[in-house]
């Protein structure tokens, strides 16, 4: 089954954890299933401060195993999430249980997220992965057997019921579709129309061609013997053998915290229930708010949900980088006159750290140019440095004195202009590369 919403509060701390000048964390993730934890993992590895709020109610908790997750096939849902939390902790996360009640935009950007215990957390971005709740058919025995021998996804449980007698309960528009799907795993499929719409002529032909038995009449309940499903009882009293029952629950998106921001769930195009619309990477109509997993894609399995969480996290990190860069540019533009500019390094020459001792030659500086390349570089627009001509003995001697600088200094190449006269008497400016030692920034 796809995964839903756990919420433990996963706070990334240590060297990755930092807040901005306003005391905000980078990202609050609401929901700690595979989508939320995958997003938190990516963000923590990107050195973002992250808070994952998880109510601890995963959608697939009733299932004994999670299937189809590469390297974790057959792992229980609880164990899978435990492994995920441990991985997030490995990057400096603190985990505690909690619930996100609401969120409100903050003046100047970001959000204030109110937790169930009354605490308010300020965050720059919000990733909501609260999943869905399954509304099961109102048939006695369905809820009690849900996640065991009452199932809904062939890719989650089809292998486990292969070659068994499978009853499909037609409680919605997808009953025929499910009956045809499960025919890939077993030849013994019976579609109970129950209260589903009458199949179209085309669907009758499809069901007949695939060997699906169709039973009309309302289903009254399930028959369980020694804690094993053995049959389906009709309202008429007739019992037909079945070892597994397939249902099509209506899903309801967990949009509580989203609704507080004006983001409401709408009907899904496939008619399976509700979801919160979003773009390809999960960005919603509210800037700064992303969604991932079943809350926006209710038919996604755990692998797709995990991938969606990772994709959303990468998008969020990129968005934060863009914001940080724009702020840095604006701050530099308004910096007081005389503020030191960052050192610029030529594309033609690179700096070399001095560990102490040993002469430094011009070639040690890492020239990428050949002799007499200065005209080509000037034409290419490299205004900082024009590649040097062959070094003279005097220049070699001057360079060799640089290693006397204290250990930890940086040897850099500086471009020094001089005017030269060519054979025709014309003057032009060339730049010589000169090695000098400077203290490292902050040392």
């Amino acid at each position: 089954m796809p995964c839903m919403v756990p919420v433990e509060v996963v706070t990334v701390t240590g060297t990755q954890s930092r807040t901005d000048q306003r005391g905000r964390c980078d990202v609050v993730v609401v929901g700690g299933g595979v989508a939320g934890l995958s997003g938190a993992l990516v963000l923590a590895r990107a050195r973002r401060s992250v808070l994952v709020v998880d109510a601890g109610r995963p959608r697939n908790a009733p299932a004994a195993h999670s299937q189809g997750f590469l390297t974790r096939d057959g792992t229980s849902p609880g164990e899978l999430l435990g492994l995920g939390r441990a991985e997030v902790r490995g990057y400096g996360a603190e985990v505690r249980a909690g619930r996100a009640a609401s969120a409100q935009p903050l003046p100047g950007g970001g959000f204030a997220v109110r937790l169930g215990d009354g605490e308010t957390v300020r965050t720059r971005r919000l990733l909501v992965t609260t999943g869905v709740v399954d509304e099961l058919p109102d048939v006695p025995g369905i809820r009690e057997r849900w996640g065991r021998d009452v199932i809904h996804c062939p890719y989650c449980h089809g292998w486990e019921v292969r070659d068994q007698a499978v009853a499909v309960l037609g409680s919605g528009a997808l009953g025929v579709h499910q009956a045809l799907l499960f025919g890939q795993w077993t030849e013994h499929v019976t579609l109970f129309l129950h209260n589903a719409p009458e199949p179209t002529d085309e669907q009758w032909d499809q069901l007949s061609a695939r060997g699906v038995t169709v039973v009309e009449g309302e289903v009254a309940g399930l028959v369980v013997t020694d804690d094993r499903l053995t049959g389906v009882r009709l309202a008429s009293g007739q019992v037909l053998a079945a070892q597994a029952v397939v249902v099509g629950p209506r899903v309801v998106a967990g949009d509580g915290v989203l609704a507080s921001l004006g983001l409401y769930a709408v009907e899904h195009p496939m008619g399976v229930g509700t979801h919160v619309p979003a773009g390809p990477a999960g960005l919603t109509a509210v800037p700064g708010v992303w969604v991932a997993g079943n809350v926006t894609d209710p038919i996604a399995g755990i692998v797709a949900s995990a991938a969606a969480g990772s994709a959303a996290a990468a998008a969020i990190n990129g968005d934060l980088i863009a914001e940080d860069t724009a702020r840095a540019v604006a701050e530099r533009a308004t910096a007081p006159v005389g503020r030191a500019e960052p050192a610029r390094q030529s594309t033609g020459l690179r700096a070399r750290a001095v560990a102490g001792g040993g002469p430094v030659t011009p070639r040690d500086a890492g020239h990428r140019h050949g002799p007499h390349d200065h005209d080509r570089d000037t034409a290419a627009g490299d205004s900082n440095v024009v590649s040097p001509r062959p070094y003279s003995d005097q220049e070699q001697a001057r360079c060799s004195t640089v290693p006397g600088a204290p250990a930890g200094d940086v040897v850099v190449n500086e471009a020094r202009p001089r005017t030269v006269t060519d054979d025709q008497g014309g003057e032009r400016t060339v730049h010589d590369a000169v090695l000098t030692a400077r203290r490292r920034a902050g040392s």
Side-chain angles (χ1 to χ4, degrees), residues 16-396:
Q16 297 94 330
S17 179
R18 25 185 220 292
T19 58
D20 66 5
Q21 307 92 308
R22 304 178 186 180
R24 302 175 300 181
C25 66
D26 289 322
V27 186
V28 166
V29 181
V30 183
V34 293
L37 290 176
S38 294
L41 182 63
V42 170
L43 289 163
R45 285 177 52 83
R47 307 189 70 186
R48 295 294 180 186
S49 54
V50 181
L51 178 67
V52 180
V53 184
D54 183 18
R57 297 191 299 269
R59 180 186 184 187
N60 61 352
H65 306 286
S66 298
Q67 308 293 353
F69 202 128
L70 191 63
T71 77
R72 291 294 181 266
D73 187 62
T75 304
S76 72
E79 181 183 359
L80 186 65
L81 294 180
L83 291 169
R85 288 190 289 267
E87 289 182 351
V88 174
R89 287 192 191 101
Y91 293 94
E94 176 190 352
V95 181
R96 61 182 172 93
R99 184 177 65 87
S102 63
Q104 299 297 327
L106 290 171
F111 305 91
V113 181
R114 185 171 60 84
L115 304 183
D117 61 2
E119 179 185 357
T120 297
V121 179
R122 294 155 61 90
T123 181
R124 299 173 65 189
R125 298 294 185 272
L126 193 60
L127 173 58
V128 179
T129 63
T130 45
V132 298
V133 173
D134 292 293
E135 292 185 345
L136 298 172
D138 187 17
V139 173
I142 293 291
R143 182 168 299 280
E144 292 80 3
R145 309 299 299 183
W146 175 238
R148 302 172 63 187
D149 34 31
V150 174
I151 57 180
H152 79 293
C153 173
Y155 302 104
C156 302
H157 303 289
W159 176 261
E160 284 65 40
V161 299
R162 64 191 183 281
D163 298 326
Q164 295 183 17
V166 173
V168 178
L169 182 64
S171 57
L174 296 180
V176 172
H177 174 70
Q178 289 180 302
L180 295 174
L181 271 180
F182 273 89
Q184 175 61 28
W185 283 266
T186 177
E187 297 179 352
H188 314 292
V189 178
T190 301
L191 172 61
F192 290 80
L193 290 182
H194 190 49
N195 56 13
E198 179 78 10
T200 65
D201 291 342
E202 181 183 10
Q203 290 174 329
W204 278 114
D205 287 342
Q206 292 172 341
L207 293 167
S208 177
R210 294 291 288 176
V212 176
T213 301
V214 179
V215 176
E216 297 183 356
E218 185 177 347
V219 172
L222 306 184
V223 178
V224 178
T225 305
D226 295 330
D227 200 29
R228 294 180 63 87
L229 179 67
T230 57
V232 174
R233 177 180 288 105
L234 298 175
S236 64
Q238 181 183 7
V239 174
L240 286 84
Q243 296 167 283
V245 171
V246 176
V247 298
R250 174 178 169 79
V251 297
V252 178
D255 64 349
V257 69
L258 293 169
S260 65
L261 293 166
L263 291 167
Y264 299 97
V266 299
E267 288 295 320
H268 191 273
M270 292 184 63
V272 297
T274 63
H275 76 128
V276 177
L283 180 62
T284 69
V286 175
V289 179
W290 274 257
V291 290
N294 288 158
V295 68
T296 185
D297 184 4
I299 63 174
I302 55 174
V303 176
S305 293
S310 295
I316 291 170
N317 186 55
D319 191 51
L320 289 170
I321 289 173
E323 180 178 275
D324 293 340
T325 302
R327 181 182 295 112
V329 170
E331 289 175 352
R332 187 177 69 170
T334 58
V337 176
R339 177 178 173 179
E341 288 290 322
R344 298 195 179 197
Q345 183 175 310
S346 163
T347 57
L349 302 171
R350 65 177 182 266
R352 176 182 177 219
V354 178
V360 179
T361 67
R363 189 166 302 280
D364 288 329
H367 304 317
R368 65 171 174 81
H369 307 280
H372 311 296
D373 278 350
H374 50 267
D375 290 335
R376 181 187 66 198
D377 283 355
T378 302
D382 189 349
S383 60
N384 291 325
V385 172
V386 176
S387 276
R389 50 195 165 66
Y391 284 85
S392 66
D393 292 340
Q394 291 82 2
E395 288 168 331
Q396 288 279 6

